[in-house]
Amino acid sequence: MTRVWQWNRPVTVREVLEDLQQERSIAYTTVMTVMDNLHQKGWVRREAEGRAYRYTAVSTRAAYSAALMNEAWSTSDNPAAALVAFFGMMSAEQREALRDAVRIVQPAEPEASPEPEAASPEPEAVPEPEAASPAAPPDVEGDSAAPGTEPGR
């Protein structure tokens, strides 16, 4: 899966094999079996091209990671404590990435409007803002909940 995500394009078994063989000896049939298993599990879709298939990832690596984090967090009996512990494990770079992500999904604060010159004697009641619900992820084809195990490489 790492190769398919890395290249972000349809790939053949032969391309994955040749890339893996730069690191270690591996048989064509092994790569073909893994790619077929990924297809059977719904991780990749495939299209016939001649006598071979081209495989494309169904979900992004980021969506897969997000689904894993969400699954782990949602199974906690104390989600706030789980988040605090998780944040405590983060590096400075990861915490900065988290801050950036929160800025992206957090709605912008409305700008304060200027006060009118003549104030009314009775201030109007201003309702308390409701708690913001978490932003839903963008609707991306194939980004359904990922299986609980990491796919083969």
PDB file of all heavy atoms in Angstrom, residues 83 86-87 90-105:
ATOM      1  N   LEU A  83      -6.864  12.000  24.670  1.00  0.00           N
ATOM      2  CA  LEU A  83      -6.280  13.083  23.873  1.00  0.00           C
ATOM      3  C   LEU A  83      -5.106  13.731  24.586  1.00  0.00           C
ATOM      4  O   LEU A  83      -4.074  14.013  23.971  1.00  0.00           O
ATOM      5  CB  LEU A  83      -7.340  14.137  23.542  1.00  0.00           C
ATOM      6  CG  LEU A  83      -8.303  13.775  22.431  1.00  0.00           C
ATOM      7  CD1 LEU A  83      -9.385  14.846  22.299  1.00  0.00           C
ATOM      8  CD2 LEU A  83      -7.584  13.595  21.109  1.00  0.00           C
ATOM      9  N   PHE A  86      -2.224  11.477  24.286  1.00  0.00           N
ATOM     10  CA  PHE A  86      -1.743  11.484  22.901  1.00  0.00           C
ATOM     11  C   PHE A  86      -0.947  12.746  22.611  1.00  0.00           C
ATOM     12  O   PHE A  86       0.141  12.697  22.043  1.00  0.00           O
ATOM     13  CB  PHE A  86      -2.934  11.349  21.954  1.00  0.00           C
ATOM     14  CG  PHE A  86      -2.563  11.372  20.496  1.00  0.00           C
ATOM     15  CD1 PHE A  86      -1.780  10.382  19.933  1.00  0.00           C
ATOM     16  CD2 PHE A  86      -3.024  12.386  19.671  1.00  0.00           C
ATOM     17  CE1 PHE A  86      -1.451  10.399  18.589  1.00  0.00           C
ATOM     18  CE2 PHE A  86      -2.704  12.414  18.324  1.00  0.00           C
ATOM     19  CZ  PHE A  86      -1.918  11.417  17.788  1.00  0.00           C
ATOM     20  N   PHE A  87      -1.488  13.891  23.024  1.00  0.00           N
ATOM     21  CA  PHE A  87      -0.783  15.157  22.804  1.00  0.00           C
ATOM     22  C   PHE A  87       0.559  15.165  23.527  1.00  0.00           C
ATOM     23  O   PHE A  87       1.533  15.739  23.042  1.00  0.00           O
ATOM     24  CB  PHE A  87      -1.625  16.346  23.259  1.00  0.00           C
ATOM     25  CG  PHE A  87      -2.907  16.529  22.484  1.00  0.00           C
ATOM     26  CD1 PHE A  87      -3.955  17.229  23.034  1.00  0.00           C
ATOM     27  CD2 PHE A  87      -3.082  15.997  21.211  1.00  0.00           C
ATOM     28  CE1 PHE A  87      -5.155  17.407  22.333  1.00  0.00           C
ATOM     29  CE2 PHE A  87      -4.259  16.158  20.503  1.00  0.00           C
ATOM     30  CZ  PHE A  87      -5.305  16.872  21.075  1.00  0.00           C
ATOM     31  N   MET A  90       3.387  13.775  21.489  1.00  0.00           N
ATOM     32  CA  MET A  90       3.721  14.445  20.234  1.00  0.00           C
ATOM     33  C   MET A  90       5.038  15.207  20.325  1.00  0.00           C
ATOM     34  O   MET A  90       5.365  15.775  21.354  1.00  0.00           O
ATOM     35  CB  MET A  90       2.620  15.432  19.846  1.00  0.00           C
ATOM     36  CG  MET A  90       1.326  14.806  19.479  1.00  0.00           C
ATOM     37  SD  MET A  90       0.127  16.118  19.135  1.00  0.00           S
ATOM     38  CE  MET A  90      -0.686  15.421  17.745  1.00  0.00           C
ATOM     39  N   SER A  91       5.719  15.249  19.197  1.00  0.00           N
ATOM     40  CA  SER A  91       6.914  16.081  19.080  1.00  0.00           C
ATOM     41  C   SER A  91       6.469  17.530  18.878  1.00  0.00           C
ATOM     42  O   SER A  91       5.301  17.803  18.604  1.00  0.00           O
ATOM     43  CB  SER A  91       7.747  15.631  17.874  1.00  0.00           C
ATOM     44  OG  SER A  91       7.050  15.928  16.670  1.00  0.00           O
ATOM     45  N   ALA A  92       7.416  18.443  18.966  1.00  0.00           N
ATOM     46  CA  ALA A  92       7.103  19.856  18.743  1.00  0.00           C
ATOM     47  C   ALA A  92       6.552  20.066  17.329  1.00  0.00           C
ATOM     48  O   ALA A  92       5.618  20.840  17.131  1.00  0.00           O
ATOM     49  CB  ALA A  92       8.354  20.713  18.959  1.00  0.00           C
ATOM     50  N   GLU A  93       7.109  19.354  16.353  1.00  0.00           N
ATOM     51  CA  GLU A  93       6.641  19.482  14.970  1.00  0.00           C
ATOM     52  C   GLU A  93       5.213  18.960  14.831  1.00  0.00           C
ATOM     53  O   GLU A  93       4.394  19.554  14.126  1.00  0.00           O
ATOM     54  CB  GLU A  93       7.567  18.717  14.007  1.00  0.00           C
ATOM     55  CG  GLU A  93       8.958  19.294  13.897  1.00  0.00           C
ATOM     56  CD  GLU A  93       9.873  18.870  15.052  1.00  0.00           C
ATOM     57  OE1 GLU A  93       9.609  17.837  15.719  1.00  0.00           O
ATOM     58  OE2 GLU A  93      10.855  19.586  15.296  1.00  0.00           O
ATOM     59  N   GLN A  94       4.909  17.867  15.520  1.00  0.00           N
ATOM     60  CA  GLN A  94       3.554  17.325  15.453  1.00  0.00           C
ATOM     61  C   GLN A  94       2.551  18.265  16.123  1.00  0.00           C
ATOM     62  O   GLN A  94       1.443  18.448  15.625  1.00  0.00           O
ATOM     63  CB  GLN A  94       3.499  15.942  16.109  1.00  0.00           C
ATOM     64  CG  GLN A  94       4.221  14.881  15.307  1.00  0.00           C
ATOM     65  CD  GLN A  94       4.384  13.589  16.080  1.00  0.00           C
ATOM     66  OE1 GLN A  94       4.628  13.584  17.288  1.00  0.00           O
ATOM     67  NE2 GLN A  94       4.266  12.471  15.373  1.00  0.00           N
ATOM     68  N   ARG A  95       2.951  18.876  17.233  1.00  0.00           N
ATOM     69  CA  ARG A  95       2.054  19.828  17.904  1.00  0.00           C
ATOM     70  C   ARG A  95       1.796  21.044  17.016  1.00  0.00           C
ATOM     71  O   ARG A  95       0.683  21.559  16.949  1.00  0.00           O
ATOM     72  CB  ARG A  95       2.620  20.241  19.269  1.00  0.00           C
ATOM     73  CG  ARG A  95       2.453  19.145  20.326  1.00  0.00           C
ATOM     74  CD  ARG A  95       2.749  19.646  21.736  1.00  0.00           C
ATOM     75  NE  ARG A  95       4.097  20.171  21.893  1.00  0.00           N
ATOM     76  CZ  ARG A  95       5.178  19.434  22.150  1.00  0.00           C
ATOM     77  NH1 ARG A  95       5.064  18.130  22.288  1.00  0.00           N
ATOM     78  NH2 ARG A  95       6.353  19.990  22.291  1.00  0.00           N
ATOM     79  N   GLU A  96       2.811  21.485  16.294  1.00  0.00           N
ATOM     80  CA  GLU A  96       2.630  22.607  15.372  1.00  0.00           C
ATOM     81  C   GLU A  96       1.693  22.207  14.228  1.00  0.00           C
ATOM     82  O   GLU A  96       0.833  22.986  13.823  1.00  0.00           O
ATOM     83  CB  GLU A  96       3.977  23.091  14.817  1.00  0.00           C
ATOM     84  CG  GLU A  96       3.873  24.332  13.956  1.00  0.00           C
ATOM     85  CD  GLU A  96       3.259  25.537  14.677  1.00  0.00           C
ATOM     86  OE1 GLU A  96       3.451  25.706  15.893  1.00  0.00           O
ATOM     87  OE2 GLU A  96       2.553  26.308  13.987  1.00  0.00           O
ATOM     88  N   ALA A  97       1.832  20.990  13.730  1.00  0.00           N
ATOM     89  CA  ALA A  97       0.928  20.498  12.689  1.00  0.00           C
ATOM     90  C   ALA A  97      -0.502  20.435  13.229  1.00  0.00           C
ATOM     91  O   ALA A  97      -1.460  20.760  12.515  1.00  0.00           O
ATOM     92  CB  ALA A  97       1.379  19.119  12.202  1.00  0.00           C
ATOM     93  N   LEU A  98      -0.656  20.043  14.488  1.00  0.00           N
ATOM     94  CA  LEU A  98      -1.978  20.009  15.116  1.00  0.00           C
ATOM     95  C   LEU A  98      -2.564  21.415  15.190  1.00  0.00           C
ATOM     96  O   LEU A  98      -3.730  21.626  14.860  1.00  0.00           O
ATOM     97  CB  LEU A  98      -1.892  19.387  16.511  1.00  0.00           C
ATOM     98  CG  LEU A  98      -3.178  19.398  17.325  1.00  0.00           C
ATOM     99  CD1 LEU A  98      -4.243  18.554  16.655  1.00  0.00           C
ATOM    100  CD2 LEU A  98      -2.916  18.916  18.741  1.00  0.00           C
ATOM    101  N   ARG A  99      -1.754  22.388  15.598  1.00  0.00           N
ATOM    102  CA  ARG A  99      -2.234  23.775  15.661  1.00  0.00           C
ATOM    103  C   ARG A  99      -2.689  24.245  14.273  1.00  0.00           C
ATOM    104  O   ARG A  99      -3.724  24.876  14.133  1.00  0.00           O
ATOM    105  CB  ARG A  99      -1.142  24.700  16.196  1.00  0.00           C
ATOM    106  CG  ARG A  99      -0.962  24.633  17.693  1.00  0.00           C
ATOM    107  CD  ARG A  99       0.046  25.704  18.162  1.00  0.00           C
ATOM    108  NE  ARG A  99       0.710  25.258  19.356  1.00  0.00           N
ATOM    109  CZ  ARG A  99       1.859  24.568  19.410  1.00  0.00           C
ATOM    110  NH1 ARG A  99       2.517  24.278  18.311  1.00  0.00           N
ATOM    111  NH2 ARG A  99       2.359  24.193  20.563  1.00  0.00           N
ATOM    112  N   ASP A 100      -1.903  23.927  13.257  1.00  0.00           N
ATOM    113  CA  ASP A 100      -2.269  24.301  11.888  1.00  0.00           C
ATOM    114  C   ASP A 100      -3.588  23.654  11.486  1.00  0.00           C
ATOM    115  O   ASP A 100      -4.443  24.305  10.891  1.00  0.00           O
ATOM    116  CB  ASP A 100      -1.176  23.880  10.902  1.00  0.00           C
ATOM    117  CG  ASP A 100       0.109  24.685  11.059  1.00  0.00           C
ATOM    118  OD1 ASP A 100       0.078  25.761  11.704  1.00  0.00           O
ATOM    119  OD2 ASP A 100       1.150  24.221  10.548  1.00  0.00           O
ATOM    120  N   ALA A 101      -3.754  22.379  11.815  1.00  0.00           N
ATOM    121  CA  ALA A 101      -4.982  21.665  11.456  1.00  0.00           C
ATOM    122  C   ALA A 101      -6.191  22.261  12.163  1.00  0.00           C
ATOM    123  O   ALA A 101      -7.251  22.436  11.556  1.00  0.00           O
ATOM    124  CB  ALA A 101      -4.849  20.179  11.805  1.00  0.00           C
ATOM    125  N   VAL A 102      -6.046  22.619  13.435  1.00  0.00           N
ATOM    126  CA  VAL A 102      -7.156  23.217  14.186  1.00  0.00           C
ATOM    127  C   VAL A 102      -7.532  24.558  13.561  1.00  0.00           C
ATOM    128  O   VAL A 102      -8.712  24.877  13.417  1.00  0.00           O
ATOM    129  CB  VAL A 102      -6.810  23.366  15.682  1.00  0.00           C
ATOM    130  CG1 VAL A 102      -7.819  24.241  16.403  1.00  0.00           C
ATOM    131  CG2 VAL A 102      -6.721  21.995  16.338  1.00  0.00           C
ATOM    132  N   ARG A 103      -6.535  25.332  13.161  1.00  0.00           N
ATOM    133  CA  ARG A 103      -6.825  26.619  12.509  1.00  0.00           C
ATOM    134  C   ARG A 103      -7.604  26.410  11.209  1.00  0.00           C
ATOM    135  O   ARG A 103      -8.467  27.201  10.859  1.00  0.00           O
ATOM    136  CB  ARG A 103      -5.539  27.392  12.234  1.00  0.00           C
ATOM    137  CG  ARG A 103      -4.995  28.117  13.455  1.00  0.00           C
ATOM    138  CD  ARG A 103      -3.875  29.075  13.073  1.00  0.00           C
ATOM    139  NE  ARG A 103      -2.653  28.405  12.697  1.00  0.00           N
ATOM    140  CZ  ARG A 103      -1.662  28.092  13.547  1.00  0.00           C
ATOM    141  NH1 ARG A 103      -1.767  28.394  14.826  1.00  0.00           N
ATOM    142  NH2 ARG A 103      -0.581  27.484  13.120  1.00  0.00           N
ATOM    143  N   ILE A 104      -7.321  25.334  10.510  1.00  0.00           N
ATOM    144  CA  ILE A 104      -8.001  25.071   9.242  1.00  0.00           C
ATOM    145  C   ILE A 104      -9.455  24.691   9.466  1.00  0.00           C
ATOM    146  O   ILE A 104     -10.336  25.173   8.757  1.00  0.00           O
ATOM    147  CB  ILE A 104      -7.269  23.962   8.451  1.00  0.00           C
ATOM    148  CG1 ILE A 104      -5.924  24.499   7.957  1.00  0.00           C
ATOM    149  CG2 ILE A 104      -8.113  23.462   7.281  1.00  0.00           C
ATOM    150  CD1 ILE A 104      -5.003  23.433   7.407  1.00  0.00           C
ATOM    151  N   VAL A 105      -9.734  23.848  10.447  1.00  0.00           N
ATOM    152  CA  VAL A 105     -11.102  23.353  10.632  1.00  0.00           C
ATOM    153  C   VAL A 105     -11.939  24.217  11.559  1.00  0.00           C
ATOM    154  O   VAL A 105     -13.160  24.121  11.554  1.00  0.00           O
ATOM    155  CB  VAL A 105     -11.133  21.890  11.147  1.00  0.00           C
ATOM    156  CG1 VAL A 105     -10.490  20.962  10.146  1.00  0.00           C
ATOM    157  CG2 VAL A 105     -10.509  21.767  12.511  1.00  0.00           C
TER     158      VAL A 105
END
